[in-house]
Each structure stands twice: as structure tokens, then as C-alpha cells.
Amino acid sequence: GDVVNELRTASNQLAPYVAPAMEKHHIYPYQGMLEVGEPYLALDWLLGSATLPEVHIPNDVLTYAINCLDDEDKEEYEPLLKTHK
């Protein structure tokens, strides 16, 4: 339902910022996760590459994405919000 839509929206917003910095072999698993209906894993995968130094994500996009995550995953990625201002 709604959560899935939010996860997809978050991934779609993040992807243009993160994907250019990702290796091809990292993009394929991400696309595969979306295709098999695992938007949560896909978003988590994208955020894993959001830490790359050449990735610059607008704070609102990053905040939206992190807010879609479970609390334990949020804690892992919240430091990103401090680095992306």
C-alpha cells in the first residue's frame, strides 16, 4: 500500500543523485530489487551508496528517504543528514 509507494518515491528521488556514482554492477542489483517488488531493499541499497564522496543529495530528498526506513536502519543513515547540508 502506501508504504510501498513512499519507498518507491524515495528511491526514484534518490536514484538520479546516487546512480551516477554507482558502479554498473551495483546498479543492476538495485534495479532487480525494484523489479521483484523489494522497494525497501532497493532504497537501503541506494542509501548504502549515498555515502560516496561524490554524491550530493538535497537534504529534503535524503530526509524523505531516511524517514521511510525502519528505526534501526534510520540510526545507521541519520549521520548522512549531518554531512549533507
Side-chain angles (χ1 to χ4, degrees), residues 4-80:
V4 169
N5 287 337
E6 282 179 14
L7 289 166
R8 285 186 185 280
T9 299
S11 290
N12 288 338
Q13 287 179 349
L14 263 186
Y17 298 103
V18 181
M22 291 170 85
E23 303 285 338
K24 280 262 187 304
H25 63 269
H26 282 145
I27 292 176
Y28 293 132
Y30 159 70
Q31 290 170 333
M33 290 168 197
L34 284 181
E35 280 162 21
V36 297
E38 291 287 357
Y40 191 94
L41 292 176
L43 181 58
D44 194 45
W45 184 265
L46 270 185
L47 281 167
S49 293
T51 55
L52 294 168
E54 61 270 38
V55 174
H56 300 287
I57 304 162
N59 223 28
D60 55 336
V61 172
L62 197 56
T63 302
Y64 184 92
I66 290 171
N67 282 336
C68 290
L69 298 175
D70 296 337
D71 286 345
E72 63 212 41
D73 290 326
K74 264 186 198 153
E75 284 173 22
E76 186 184 338
Y77 292 116
E78 273 174 345
L80 276 176

